Amino acid sequence: MRLVLAGGAAAFTLTAGLATPLNLAPQQAEAKADDGKKVLTVAVAQSVDSLSPFLAQRLLSTSLHRLTYEYLTNYDAKNNRAIDGFATDWKPSADKLTWTYTIRDNSTWSDGKPATAKDAAWTFNKVMSKEGTATANSNFVTNFRKVTAPSPTKLVIELKKPQATMAALDVPIVPKHVWEKVDDISKFNNDKDFPVVGNGPFILTDYKVDQYVRLKANKDFWRGAPKFDELVFKTYKDQDAAVSALRKGEVSFVAGQPALTPAQADSLKNEENIKVNEGPGRRFFALATNPGAKTRDGEKFGDGHPALLDKKVRQALFLSVDREAIVDKVFQGHAVEGAGYIPPRFSEYAWQPSADQRMSYDPKKAARLLDEAGYKKNGDGKRVGKDGRPLDFRILCHATDPNDKAVGKYLKEWWGDLGIGLKVECLDDVSVPWYAGEYDLAFDGWSVNPDPDFVLGIHTCAALPVKAKESAATDNFICDKKFDDLYDKQLAEYDQGKRADIVKQMQSWLYDSGYMNVLAYPNAVEAYRTDQIKSITTMPTAAGNIYGQDGYWSWWSAVPADGKSSSKDGGSTGVIIGIAAAAVVLVGGGALFALRRRSTAEDRE
């Protein structure tokens, strides 16, 4: 659900001092402002992995799809209930095995062609075909038997067994007449022809890798046109640089993914014309252990430490992490101590362990478990196995995530006291070793949707890769029959109370297994300029986040401040290119890639 691109914090800081690119910005911005367009510029610390809805996994990418394509249903910003989207009505048959959707009859694609049920049927069938199209959304269609469009306004989905998520199918509907011409969807990133044909509130008009994404308002959007004429997501390699740009008025908004650090938020609270928004987050921050990477047919690969196959060792690591200290010292109170897999924000599904089950910070108990597992201390105070091999682990860390680095220092201390060695491997792109199964532990995190099915499904056996080291839906190679059985039960349970109980059982299993140690639920901490944005909708509306919503409410609803047409460089593609090019020169021309959605804060949704 993740953190930022690479290698370039120092490079971007240096770039900020270059006179030529930045001095051009006010002049070009003035020229842009003269045409009367109102531009909202969002500073983000993540790049796009793909503009294809079939392939995209990172939060920025899936957020863009929320803006450019309609889904069958949307989530109400007030209470997360399912509301109209591409469909205006949805009903199950008596046996719950057939769902019929009434498709909106006044929706059109941005190229003027009608958007119909045939587009939806083609989209779902393409995901079901698994022709390299199941990377992002395969879990939604695994239980589908057949999808048809008997008429332009009627979509019929037949199921193998009842499925409780049929009003929460978070799959972007694409235009059949455009995508059926693509030769190989598994390799098509949807970034060659602009504007990209869509039917959401915005139309994607331009994109430069690791630099910016530009969208314009869809004046024909059925729910009403956005108030800003253009929306620009500008990539920064360093959050401090993004905050500095906000101060200068060069951007309108600094994204809360990654969340602003306490120091950054505090420094902005007293700034004129800047508002800091903080609300309960929709994601978790966790440690993941490698349970033994394998393919769907059981082929093992990777080099995860064999000691982590022992539940006692995993639980010992769990017991030797002080989550309260992490919330206080790393997040400085801008987070809630972790436990279950679903954040407290989603109260219906949130889970807490009982007093007897809770694994609180207890180094003495952790030491006993390690002794029982056969990893006792030698004369040098090091834990060693029966083979004499010292108990040394590696943990994947995101080079641009200060939380990873800070927690890593604590882990080295806490685990060092137990006699365990730890190497914190901070990388610009953790996806390569992660997909290859070449890690012991990793900092992990996902943004959770109102319906928890997706983040639960990534731990099922069906999510494992078909081939070794290839991308797949799995988060962490977990595959367990009991968990799979519970997943199937919750998917088929229509009674909300009973389904919530099953979801909590799944979280209890994850907790006990020691595979996932949820450390904290970080708050969403973000900021925007009130002299550029007059008002904007949070989700939930009472107290929630702006960036990375389960919908398009923030950017669609944003109202420009009176008399302000744009952020200073919001209309300046040339400036963005100049800055990014300078940064590339300073880092030696190396390609900069963001982390995959699964690997930290910048998760899927």
Side-chain angles (χ1 to χ4, degrees):
M1 231 204 353
R2 309 183 187 187
L3 275 187
V4 278
L5 331 179
F12 229 87
T13 301
L14 288 171
T15 305
L18 297 177
T20 304
L22 289 183
N23 285 344
L24 289 174
Q27 298 159 353
Q28 294 186 3
E30 286 301 319
K32 186 68 177 179
D34 287 343
D35 65 10
K37 288 185 178 179
K38 300 186 183 302
V39 183
L40 195 165
T41 304
V42 179
V44 293
Q46 185 187 40
S47 65
V48 172
D49 54 346
S50 176
L51 291 178
S52 166
F54 297 102
L55 305 177
Q57 295 183 326
R58 296 179 188 144
L59 180 62
L60 174 58
S61 307
T62 55
S63 295
L64 289 170
H65 293 144
R66 287 268 183 199
L67 297 171
T68 54
Y69 299 103
E70 278 277 55
Y71 297 36
L72 286 180
T73 60
N74 209 326
Y75 298 104
D76 192 307
K78 294 180 181 178
N79 54 22
N80 290 325
R81 69 181 180 86
I83 60 173
D84 290 13
F86 195 67
T88 60
D89 188 52
W90 45 95
K91 292 179 180 177
S93 59
D95 61 4
K96 304 291 196 298
L97 292 177
T98 301
W99 280 74
T100 302
Y101 298 81
T102 301
I103 302 303
R104 185 173 303 284
D105 62 5
N106 64 336
S107 180
T108 58
W109 297 109
S110 53
D111 62 1
K113 296 185 183 299
T116 73
K118 296 186 184 301
D119 296 298
W122 188 90
T123 299
F124 286 114
N125 279 301
K126 186 56 66 173
V127 178
M128 291 166 65
S129 73
K130 297 183 180 179
E131 299 168 1
T133 59
T135 300
N137 299 306
S138 60
N139 67 301
F140 292 114
V141 304
T142 302
N143 184 43
F144 287 12
R145 184 185 301 280
K146 186 179 181 181
V147 183
T148 57
S151 75
T153 58
K154 185 176 181 181
L155 178 73
V156 179
I157 300 178
E158 299 176 30
L159 305 172
K160 300 172 186 175
K161 54 188 176 183
Q163 180 169 328
T165 62
M166 297 304 287
L169 299 174
D170 294 325
V171 179
I173 305 302
V174 303
K176 175 179 181 289
H177 67 279
V178 173
W179 284 81
E180 65 183 356
K181 298 174 184 177
V182 176
D183 293 331
D184 186 352
I185 290 182
S186 68
K187 298 178 181 178
F188 180 66
N189 281 321
N190 197 25
D191 57 0
K192 303 302 180 186
D193 298 318
F194 296 98
V196 173
V197 178
N199 64 339
F202 288 90
I203 301 167
L204 206 160
T205 58
D206 196 12
Y207 165 62
K208 290 293 182 293
V209 176
D210 291 345
Q211 297 174 31
Y212 65 87
V213 183
R214 181 180 297 282
L215 306 98
K216 69 176 182 180
N218 181 357
K219 301 299 183 182
D220 297 321
F221 185 53
W222 68 270
R223 204 184 289 272
K227 311 298 187 299
F228 277 91
D229 299 303
E230 290 189 355
L231 176 62
V232 177
F233 291 88
K234 179 178 176 181
T235 303
Y236 282 84
K237 310 301 188 287
D238 175 76
Q239 190 81 310
D240 284 334
V243 170
S244 177
L246 183 74
R247 281 198 178 93
K248 297 174 184 176
E250 295 170 358
V251 298
S252 315
F253 180 95
V254 173
Q257 295 275 9
L260 297 178
T261 66
Q264 289 168 340
D266 289 343
S267 72
L268 291 173
K269 284 180 179 176
N270 295 321
E271 289 276 344
E272 185 180 5
N273 297 323
I274 291 180
K275 177 178 176 61
V276 175
N277 179 65
E278 180 167 0
R282 51 179 288 241
R283 75 174 197 87
F284 60 81
F285 176 72
L287 294 179
T289 60
N290 185 343
K294 59 185 176 183
T295 62
R296 206 172 298 171
D297 62 6
E299 178 190 350
K300 296 180 181 179
F301 61 95
D303 61 0
H305 200 298
L308 293 173
L309 301 179
D310 190 325
K311 183 176 179 179
K312 288 184 177 180
V313 174
R314 298 194 301 270
Q315 290 186 332
L317 296 180
F318 207 134
L319 289 162
S320 53
V321 175
D322 190 342
R323 293 186 293 281
E324 183 179 350
I326 288 172
V327 170
D328 290 342
K329 296 178 180 179
V330 176
F331 291 98
Q332 297 182 34
H334 296 273
V336 177
E337 186 177 333
Y341 200 64
I342 309 298
R345 168 168 161 173
F346 303 108
S347 57
E348 184 176 11
Y349 296 107
W351 170 87
Q352 287 284 331
S354 65
D356 293 338
Q357 186 182 13
R358 183 176 295 276
M359 286 186 275
S360 300
Y361 182 54
D362 192 342
K364 291 182 178 179
K365 185 175 180 180
R368 290 197 301 271
L369 285 176
L370 290 170
D371 287 342
E372 292 172 10
Y375 295 94
K376 297 186 177 182
K377 284 187 176 181
N378 61 15
D380 297 326
K382 286 284 298 178
R383 295 274 173 184
V384 295
K386 295 177 181 178
D387 58 0
R389 180 182 175 184
L391 199 58
D392 293 329
F393 296 126
R394 306 156 295 170
I395 185 167
L396 287 176
C397 156
H398 307 89
T400 49
D401 186 348
N403 295 327
D404 282 13
K405 294 177 181 179
V407 174
K409 291 179 181 179
Y410 282 107
L411 295 180
K412 289 190 73 167
E413 177 186 339
W414 293 330
W415 293 350
D417 290 342
L418 283 173
I420 297 172
L422 180 66
K423 181 180 180 181
V424 182
E425 300 181 336
C426 293
L427 306 175
D428 295 328
D429 183 3
V430 301
S431 63
V432 175
W434 198 314
Y435 280 125
E438 295 170 353
Y439 67 100
D440 300 324
L441 300 108
F443 289 102
D444 196 3
W446 286 79
S447 288
V448 178
N449 296 332
D451 189 290
D453 178 72
F454 182 88
V455 291
L456 297 173
I458 58 179
H459 293 312
T460 60
C461 299
L464 292 174
V466 175
K467 297 180 180 178
K469 300 186 179 183
E470 75 175 8
S471 61
T474 186
D475 175 50
N476 199 43
F477 302 104
I478 293 173
C479 176
D480 181 88
K481 185 179 185 304
K482 181 177 180 180
F483 187 86
D484 274 17
D485 288 345
L486 288 170
Y487 176 79
D488 290 342
K489 284 179 64 178
Q490 67 83 28
L491 186 63
E493 181 57 68
Y494 278 82
D495 183 286
Q496 281 297 98
K498 292 179 180 179
R499 184 176 180 229
D501 287 341
I502 300 169
V503 169
K504 291 174 183 179
Q505 291 177 49
M506 298 175 74
Q507 295 178 78
S508 178
W509 183 91
L510 279 172
Y511 185 90
D512 289 341
S513 73
Y515 288 132
M516 297 290 297
N517 182 356
V518 178
L519 304 178
Y521 311 108
N523 290 351
V525 187
E526 50 205 358
Y528 65 92
R529 294 198 62 92
T530 56
D531 57 350
Q532 296 180 21
I533 302 174
K534 181 179 180 180
S535 64
I536 193 166
T537 299
T538 62
M539 184 176 185
T541 52
N545 57 293
I546 294 171
Y547 180 78
Q549 294 181 357
D550 299 293
Y552 41 66
W553 309 116
S554 54
W555 314 125
W556 173 75
S557 71
V559 177
D562 294 340
K564 299 294 181 181
S565 61
S566 71
S567 52
K568 287 184 181 177
D569 67 349
S572 176
T573 302
V575 174
I576 299 171
I577 294 173
I579 293 174
V584 170
V585 170
L586 288 170
V587 298
L592 307 177
F593 293 97
L595 309 180
R596 61 181 181 143
R597 128 185 98 107
R598 79 196 55 194
S599 40
T600 181
E602 308 298 311
D603 45 11
R604 178 177 188 276
E605 294 242 39

